[in-house]
Amino acid sequence: MKNQVKTGKQVSAWIGAVLVLGVLAAGVFAPLLAPSDPLDVHMAHRLAGPSAEYPLGTDHLGRCVLSRLLYGTRLSLFDALAVLAAVFAVSVPVGLLAGYAGGRTDRIIMTVIDVLLAFPGLILALAVAAMLGPGALHLLLAFAAVWWAGYARLIRGMVLQLKENDYVLAARASGSSHLRIAFDHILRGAARPILVLASMETGTILLSLAGLSFLGLGAQPPVPEWGVMLSDSRPYIQTEPNLMLFPGLAIAVSVLGFNLLAEGLREPGGPSRSWRNSFGGAAPKRSRAAKPAASARIEAQRGHGE
Amino acid sequence: MKGERGRELLSVRDLTTVFGRGDSAVVAVDGISLSVRAGRIAALVGESGSGKSAAALSVMGLIDPPGRVEAGEIFLNGRDLRRRPLREWNACRGRDMAMIFQDPMNALNPVLPIGRQLIETIRRHRRVSGAEARAIAIAQLERAELHGGDRLLRKYAFELSGGMCQRIMIALALVSGAKLLIADEPTTALDVGVQAQILRELDRVRREEDVGILLITHDLGVVAELADEVYVMRSGRIVEHGEVFDVFDRPRHEYTRELLDSRL
Amino acid sequence: MKLLEAVDLTKVYADRASGPFGRSRPGPPAVDGVSLELRRGETLGLIGESGCGKSTLARMLLRLEPPTSGRVLYRGSDITDWKFGRMRRVRSRMQLVFQSSAASFNPSFTVERIVAEPLRNAGVKSAAERRLRILETLESVGLGAAYLDRLPAELSGGQQQRVGIARAIVLRPEILILDEPFSSLDFSLRRQAMELLAGLKEQLGLSYLFITHDLSIVGRFCDRAAVMRRGRIVEQRPGAELMNEASHPYTRMLLDSIPARHPADRTYRLDRTYK
């Protein structure tokens, strides 16, 4: 059974990776793939159905929907990734510092984080975005400014846990500097969960960015961005539902891709190696053989009688 | 209750337990046979990875997939558990056989007072009122020289020492009348002073309550203290079996000799 | 000669038992005014049950934890307040062997990287030189070059222990603090590990502080032994003498708890010939 769960995870990781790579490729190669200029207005062809020239039809200004979607990837997805990079560039060092240093440093950082987290994130991002004025870059900044706090807190938690490992004590005993311990032992241990988190959050950020653009706070028309496209097509929802369907699908597929990827990254490796270790006599402690025992304990004690 | 000393409680024949499938399959228990009699302690000795814990879990019916008991017979009180419906095997756990583990702190539920855990276990297996169950629980603890009555019942696992927890685990295991106790490294996680208490308690339950114990351990000191008979296990097989004095005085198998010689 | 000395060491942790809103008050001392000395070339046993403060004491001696009061002396100089840079040189002279080697390794590090860590910290910059010294050290604990690229999970318990010892001796220290070095090992491996440690002590001129709860080894393995209970040292004697003429009731209790070596020597059973 465990085998099947594992392969299931691997399959989901592969599907996720393919989806993500596909979407990324679409963005990168948009100029090659797009049949026409995403900004070219052809009022004569407005709201046309799919055709050879416009595979997915045109929007209310006669622009090619497919081309706009492809170019939109660049904005929507790459913006999300930029926000992600900014968020993690702040939250990883801050979380690491708070968790590893502890004491007063930790208390000060955590107070700031708690205050930031006391405001609803999206609203705060809105406020910052409104203050800076509309525009994609401002939105990115607003997002990063608000979003880092939650991750810093999560990362601090991981660090606190990793810090208790005997191998951290061993490193200290052998004379390792704090910097070396923080990078070699702690950040390395946190790398995988951080990666999972990042992959999962890309989806969330993508959604939120599209949402804000939809509200008119992010990318501005006529820029081809998925949220903007959704917003543009809103008046035609009754007559031309396709217009909303395609950007919606693009968002959904990207988010799904990142979530599947995250799910798959969560537990790596094949089962064969760990089983060999637990019974082939290689590593006796920490073996998987101990796990069934643990789960069986309470069952054994309580009994299963009716 | 009395007079059944020496009756065969558990008889295992040619038990084989396998983990994994296909090429990665590992035979953890490879056709072992053993028996446990009422009022006697049979020690199953082996190093980590020898399959002794897998053997115990197989008897309890607690092998989780991808592991499975592949062959053999497990007779408990004369009934072959593997030929009975799974429900019956499950019903035996707690009622006819019980198990204690290496780490008593983890085996007790941390968020329930120990009294509630005892009382619930009693009421699961016997038709008694809450008050009666409470009285039974207190009596069982008294027998294990755990005094304090109601006050002790209100305690949580974290308020008690490791040794206390293990003695409560033994009480909990036997409280619903189980006559077969499987003890998996019951003293390994404990300090020497506490270890002595637990060994004494195991000795007491087998003597006063005629419980049969399958004692799984890697510690020959514990075997020398407590066991009536010894099974030496290695790589899933039983390589030597005999009365405890015979095994210590005249080990027949090379591996047993090695084990005895390796003591510090 | 005194290598390492504890003078009236005390450690008090804050007691957090008073709930999330309570003030943290000082709890009972984990180590309570302990004075102890490790002499050159000896094995000093530090015996006690879990929670008696022996591990805290060891960490204070290694300066991994600051004492609440008291001093730590290394070769007569007071190192209690030394800063990181100065401490580093002393660190290379005293090393720690963990109870569970497996837990003391970063699971993603290879054996080479594990054993290399102290060398890097000591400023051995050349990778070739590091490798040479690692190989030499692995050999002295009975492991070959084949193990360099293994991960901890790919080693057996005995091999893990050897790697743990290799990491501790790669800088050729004077002092090893051994924290229950046998307790996570399989029975048949303990004797080997003990012989290995005894051999290394001879060969490298080491002094051991041997922390254990198991009195049965003390007689043969320790020159002197100190019994610790609730943060204090209750009895201190030469190893063999402790086994035979211990005077403190706590030591006697520990001695009485050692399991029999042969079923004929059973201690707890009332009815020894029970059938």
Side-chain angles (χ1 to χ4, degrees):
Chain A
M1 210 183 114
K2 213 166 222 162
N3 282 315
Q4 280 151 17
V5 172
K6 283 249 166 128
T7 41
K9 283 220 160 155
Q10 280 159 0
V11 168
S12 87
W14 278 112
I15 297 176
V18 167
L19 287 180
V20 167
L21 281 177
V23 177
L24 280 175
V28 171
F29 299 115
L32 299 174
L33 298 171
S36 42
D37 188 326
L39 298 175
D40 252 1
V41 176
H42 294 280
M43 289 309 277
H45 298 148
R46 70 188 293 259
L47 299 176
S51 63
E53 200 184 351
Y54 307 112
L56 296 179
T58 58
D59 67 359
H60 64 295
L61 295 177
R63 295 173 296 199
C64 172
V65 170
L66 178 63
S67 307
R68 286 180 69 75
L69 272 183
L70 287 172
Y71 276 94
T73 312
R74 294 188 151 189
L75 281 170
S76 296
L77 196 61
F78 296 177
D79 279 2
L81 291 175
V83 171
L84 191 79
V87 162
F88 279 89
V90 179
S91 59
V92 169
V94 170
L96 192 60
L97 180 68
Y100 188 70
R104 187 206 281 267
T105 318
D106 184 32
R107 272 202 302 279
I108 294 171
I109 293 176
M110 286 313 289
T111 309
V112 173
I113 288 176
D114 283 338
V115 169
L116 269 177
L117 287 179
F119 295 98
L122 203 58
I123 308 280
L124 196 59
L126 274 176
V128 177
M131 228 159 58
L132 296 170
L137 183 68
H138 291 164
L139 189 67
L140 297 193
L141 287 175
F143 249 90
V146 171
W147 235 250
W148 67 270
Y151 299 127
R153 193 189 187 115
L154 271 170
I155 289 162
R156 168 185 173 266
M158 289 182 216
V159 173
L160 282 181
Q161 229 173 22
L162 287 167
K163 203 169 71 163
E164 293 305 313
N165 275 318
D166 257 4
Y167 59 77
V168 173
L169 188 70
R172 286 179 59 207
S174 75
S176 296
S177 64
H178 289 306
L179 213 59
R180 165 160 288 158
I181 293 175
F183 281 94
D184 266 15
H185 294 289
I186 292 186
L187 209 52
R188 235 180 126 104
R192 180 175 294 280
I194 289 178
L195 206 64
V196 172
L197 193 66
S199 180
M200 236 155 55
E201 291 310 317
T202 314
T204 314
I205 294 175
L206 189 77
L207 272 179
S208 310
L209 281 176
L212 287 181
S213 295
F214 179 80
L215 295 175
L217 285 156
Q220 296 299 307
V223 167
E225 200 263 4
W226 297 343
V228 173
M229 288 172 75
L230 277 175
S231 173
D232 281 347
S233 50
R234 198 167 37 117
Y236 310 98
I237 188 165
Q238 301 285 347
T239 51
E240 299 290 335
N242 285 354
L243 282 183
M244 271 193 126
L245 181 68
F246 293 122
L249 265 179
I251 293 172
V253 166
S254 315
V255 173
L256 183 69
F258 279 107
N259 285 353
L260 285 177
L261 186 64
E263 194 59 38
L265 285 174
R266 205 183 285 267
E267 224 176 312
S272 54
R273 181 152 150 169
S274 29
W275 277 112
R276 199 184 61 212
N277 284 346
S278 41
F279 290 105
K285 308 288 170 216
R286 299 186 308 148
S287 70
R288 254 155 219 271
K291 278 185 185 162
S295 66
R297 271 175 195 152
I298 289 176
E299 233 182 307
Q301 273 305 323
R302 304 286 135 67
H304 258 202
E306 276 106 287
Chain B
M1 257 197 184
K2 293 280 169 194
E4 58 171 28
R5 181 169 296 173
R7 179 172 71 86
E8 188 168 64
L9 294 171
L10 174 73
S11 167
V12 172
R13 284 182 214 152
D14 301 320
L15 178 72
T16 300
T17 302
V18 179
F19 286 88
R21 279 178 199 287
D23 290 342
S24 61
V26 176
V27 182
V29 181
D30 193 357
I32 67 164
S33 301
L34 54 82
S35 87
V36 182
R37 294 176 180 280
R40 308 243 309 166
I41 295 180
L44 185 57
V45 189
E47 300 186 272
S48 58
S50 62
K52 56 192 197 301
S53 289
L57 291 173
S58 303
V59 170
M60 290 297 285
L62 291 175
I63 292 285
D64 288 331
R68 66 206 173 277
V69 176
E70 201 150 82
E73 291 150 349
I74 301 168
F75 286 97
L76 182 67
N77 298 323
R79 284 178 309 172
D80 185 356
L81 294 175
R82 288 196 65 225
R83 288 175 197 283
R84 300 274 174 160
L86 196 61
R87 206 164 50 92
E88 204 169 312
W89 199 345
N90 290 339
C92 286
R93 274 205 298 276
R95 193 188 63 204
D96 302 320
M97 58 180 176
M99 189 160 175
I100 59 171
F101 296 90
Q102 182 171 345
D103 186 352
M105 292 286 201
N106 281 342
L108 283 165
N109 186 333
V111 296
L112 291 180
I114 59 148
R116 207 165 132 200
Q117 300 180 51
L118 280 163
I119 289 165
E120 277 177 11
T121 309
I122 295 169
R123 297 194 69 185
R124 187 168 304 134
H125 298 290
R126 295 196 206 174
R127 283 170 187 233
V128 290
S129 71
E132 282 167 322
R134 175 173 294 269
I136 295 172
I138 291 177
Q140 182 76 26
L141 292 176
E142 285 284 337
R143 255 180 278 161
E145 282 171 48
L146 291 164
H147 307 293
D150 269 327
R151 228 185 43 234
L152 182 57
L153 291 187
R154 276 196 297 273
K155 297 247 190 221
Y156 291 84
F158 65 84
E159 296 178 286
L160 303 166
S161 67
M164 278 277 251
C165 281
Q166 191 63 293
R167 283 157 73 194
I168 286 166
M169 287 306 293
I170 297 173
L172 188 61
L174 300 177
V175 78
S176 35
K179 283 292 168 216
L180 175 69
L181 179 66
I182 298 180
D184 189 357
E185 302 273 9
T187 60
T188 307
L190 302 173
D191 276 323
V192 272
V194 184
Q195 171 174 337
Q197 283 177 22
I198 300 301
L199 295 183
R200 216 174 289 139
E201 175 64 12
L202 288 173
D203 189 42
R204 187 195 68 78
V205 297
R206 86 60 190 272
R207 213 154 5 81
E208 289 178 8
E209 304 182 27
D210 279 338
V211 169
I213 301 175
L214 180 61
L215 178 70
I216 289 152
T217 184
H218 69 278
D219 187 343
L220 286 168
V222 170
V223 177
E225 277 302 339
L226 218 49
D228 297 301
E229 53 192 309
V230 182
Y231 296 87
V232 181
M233 196 163 172
R234 186 194 196 182
S235 314
R237 298 210 171 89
I238 285 176
V239 296
E240 176 149 9
H241 164 223
E243 294 286 312
V244 65
F245 280 89
D246 293 339
V247 171
F248 273 79
D249 288 336
R250 291 177 294 278
R252 284 186 312 248
H253 197 278
E254 184 60 31
Y255 179 65
T256 314
R257 265 191 295 268
E258 254 172 58
L259 273 185
L260 287 166
D261 285 343
S262 69
R263 287 180 297 169
L264 297 175
Chain C
M1 197 186 103
K2 294 174 191 174
L3 275 185
L4 191 60
E5 207 179 339
V7 183
D8 203 19
L9 273 185
T10 297
K11 179 73 187 183
V12 180
Y13 290 106
D15 188 4
R16 297 224 190 97
S18 43
F21 301 107
R23 275 166 162 271
S24 65
R25 254 174 267 128
V31 175
D32 192 0
V34 167
S35 297
L36 198 70
E37 59 189 53
L38 177 66
R39 297 181 201 133
R40 192 167 174 177
E42 75 170 352
T43 298
L44 172 63
L46 187 58
I47 295 133
E49 298 189 278
S50 56
C52 74
K54 56 192 197 293
S55 294
T56 308
L57 177 61
R59 287 182 191 198
M60 286 194 290
L61 285 171
L62 284 169
R63 290 278 330 275
L64 292 172
E65 197 148 346
T68 310
S69 69
R71 317 303 300 170
V72 180
L73 273 57
Y74 168 71
R75 283 179 172 265
S77 29
D78 185 342
I79 60 168
T80 323
D81 301 316
W82 283 16
K83 296 273 181 290
F84 182 82
R86 209 169 167 198
M87 215 26 234
R88 216 174 204 177
R89 278 196 302 271
V90 181
R91 283 262 149 81
S92 68
R93 310 305 302 149
M94 46 193 204
Q95 292 284 319
L96 182 60
V97 174
F98 284 77
Q99 170 171 8
S100 160
S101 295
S104 78
F105 302 144
N106 189 327
S108 59
F109 278 20
T110 61
V111 167
E112 177 167 16
R113 190 145 180 213
I114 289 166
V115 184
E117 189 160 2
L119 286 172
R120 285 164 179 244
N121 294 333
V124 181
K125 294 231 164 56
S126 137
E129 193 195 334
R130 279 205 301 263
R131 172 163 285 209
L132 204 68
R133 289 176 67 174
I134 292 166
L135 280 173
E136 197 183 57
T137 308
L138 283 179
E139 200 150 305
S140 66
V141 297
L143 295 176
Y147 291 93
L148 282 179
D149 294 326
R150 301 272 188 97
L151 289 172
E154 295 166 340
L155 301 173
S156 71
Q159 290 163 349
Q160 287 172 343
Q161 187 75 345
R162 284 164 193 269
V163 174
I165 294 171
R167 171 175 61 186
I169 61 170
V170 71
L171 289 174
R172 300 289 176 263
E174 292 172 293
I175 303 168
L176 280 197
I177 296 193
L178 310 167
D179 188 357
E180 304 266 15
F182 309 130
S183 69
S184 69
L185 286 181
D186 263 330
F187 237 63
S188 62
L189 296 171
R190 292 187 184 184
R191 197 193 189 93
Q192 286 175 26
M194 193 161 109
E195 279 159 9
L196 174 66
L197 284 171
L200 288 171
K201 186 182 169 204
E202 199 70 22
Q203 197 185 327
L204 305 175
L206 292 163
S207 310
Y208 289 158
L209 178 64
F210 174 63
I211 301 174
T212 184
H213 68 277
D214 186 358
L215 263 173
S216 62
I217 337 175
V218 168
R220 274 163 299 148
F221 197 68
C222 299
D223 303 304
R224 287 189 307 131
V227 180
M228 204 166 165
R229 187 192 190 200
R230 293 188 189 148
R232 290 170 178 275
I233 288 180
V234 297
E235 184 160 9
Q236 202 172 155
R237 280 169 186 276
E241 194 182 306
L242 190 82
M243 301 295 286
N244 299 323
E245 42 198 284
S247 59
H248 196 278
Y250 180 69
T251 317
R252 290 244 54 96
M253 190 282 283
L254 288 181
L255 283 168
D256 288 343
S257 306
I258 299 173
R261 282 182 69 79
H262 190 277
D265 310 325
R266 291 185 176 180
T267 45
Y268 319 127
R269 301 252 316 255
L270 302 176
D271 174 11
R272 292 187 186 208
T273 53
Y274 175 84
K275 282 277 167 181

